[in-house]
Amino acid sequence: MGKAAAAAAFAIALAVPTVGSAAELSDIEVARLLAAADRAKPIDLTGRDLSFLDLAGLDFKAARLDRANLHAVDFAGADLSHAQLAGAHLDRSTVQRTNFAGADLRGASLLRLSVTTELDLNPKAAGEAPNFAGADLSGARIFARMVGANLRGADLTGARLGNYRLTVIELHPHTFLEMADLSGARLRGAELYGVRFAWAKFVGADLSGADLTGADLTGADFTGADVTGTKFDGADLAQAVFRDMKGLDRAIGLDKALNRDRIVR
């Protein structure tokens, strides 16, 4: 192997997350534990390795899964509302129609999620997006294509959604949140550079100090949003709605944004 190839292979090995070789419980065992649990007395799977399990459609009843290894788990249609997932590792998990409403995902890793097989702006793709309404995603690392995701009232303070490369060659090095609903969300200091937010809703959202450098904000609705100290350098603002906003005079880089003459005021 040549030096260049060896260096590339080494870089890929470093970039791919390390996961356990086998889950500590089987899918059936987890299903039985959940069947016997209730939300008043949720099961505690803190720090457990559940990687690669098929847990689709299960009601987790606000289970405790802090720091759990949930790599490549199938959560399609599962109910993880109000679950405790702080610091959990959900990379490459399947989250089609998964309900994370009110869940605690502080500092969690959500890289390369499997959300849909549909085309980006296909209405069916939006219908398959997970629900993060009211979830705490502060400090979380997110890299996914979640067209139409519900993030209403979610806390993304300090979250990192910006350009990310998992391997040396990445065909889609962006987070895609086209048509997502972030109304009332808290995105203070969030890293959002390069994120695809076309036609997303930021109505009443707190974006103060957020970095939207190079983001696609085509048609995004910022009505009533707080953009104090928000960076817009190189962002595409074609048809973006800028009405009744707070701190617009203290936003950064608006003079360097694309299509700023096409902003809807």
Side-chain angles (χ1 to χ4, degrees):
M1 179 183 294
K3 290 183 178 180
F10 180 67
I12 291 173
L14 288 178
V16 176
T18 302
V19 297
S21 58
E24 297 176 37
L25 298 169
S26 69
D27 343 49
I28 294 175
E29 288 172 323
V30 174
R32 286 174 177 169
L33 287 171
L34 290 171
D38 61 53
R39 289 183 177 266
K41 295 181 179 179
I43 63 172
D44 191 345
L45 296 170
T46 300
R48 302 298 289 272
D49 185 349
L50 306 178
S51 54
F52 299 99
L53 294 186
D54 181 355
L55 305 177
L58 295 180
D59 183 352
F60 280 77
K61 302 175 183 177
R64 296 179 181 133
L65 292 155
D66 295 320
R67 303 182 305 283
N69 180 6
L70 305 172
H71 181 91
V73 171
D74 187 350
F75 285 121
D79 186 354
L80 283 152
S81 59
H82 302 287
Q84 303 300 305
L85 291 151
H89 172 95
L90 292 98
D91 297 357
R92 296 183 180 274
S93 60
T94 298
V95 293
Q96 294 171 15
R97 302 176 306 282
T98 305
N99 184 13
F100 290 101
D104 181 356
L105 287 148
R106 290 171 296 163
S109 180
L110 300 97
L111 305 179
R112 298 294 299 273
L113 300 178
S114 176
V115 179
T116 181
T117 58
E118 299 296 320
L119 296 175
D120 292 341
L121 297 179
N122 186 310
K124 184 178 179 181
E128 291 183 341
N131 175 20
F132 288 100
D136 189 345
L137 289 151
S138 53
R141 188 71 180 90
I142 305 171
F143 176 72
R145 304 171 71 85
M146 297 191 293
V147 176
N150 182 357
L151 289 147
R152 291 179 64 90
D155 188 348
L156 290 118
T157 302
R160 294 175 296 158
L161 288 74
N163 293 1
Y164 176 76
R165 288 184 180 271
L166 183 62
T167 61
V168 173
I169 299 175
E170 176 59 65
L171 296 179
H172 303 290
H174 301 284
T175 290
F176 288 75
L177 285 168
E178 294 104 330
M179 301 187 294
D181 190 349
L182 294 107
S183 300
R186 295 177 294 284
L187 298 115
R188 296 175 64 91
E191 295 179 10
L192 308 171
Y193 43 85
V195 177
R196 301 317 196 215
F197 281 121
W199 309 104
K201 292 181 181 178
F202 293 98
V203 177
D206 184 356
L207 288 146
S208 53
D211 188 351
L212 283 162
T213 299
D216 180 1
L217 302 172
T218 303
D221 188 349
F222 289 91
T223 301
D226 187 345
V227 293
T228 305
T230 305
K231 296 179 181 178
F232 286 97
D233 303 66
D236 190 343
L237 298 175
Q239 300 181 65
V241 179
F242 275 31
R243 291 175 179 155
D244 303 318
M245 295 167 70
K246 301 174 184 176
L248 187 58
D249 58 332
R250 285 170 285 171
I252 300 169
L254 277 174
D255 58 327
K256 299 176 183 177
L258 306 177
N259 295 309
R260 58 186 181 279
D261 58 323
R262 299 177 61 193
I263 293 174
V264 179
R265 300 181 187 273

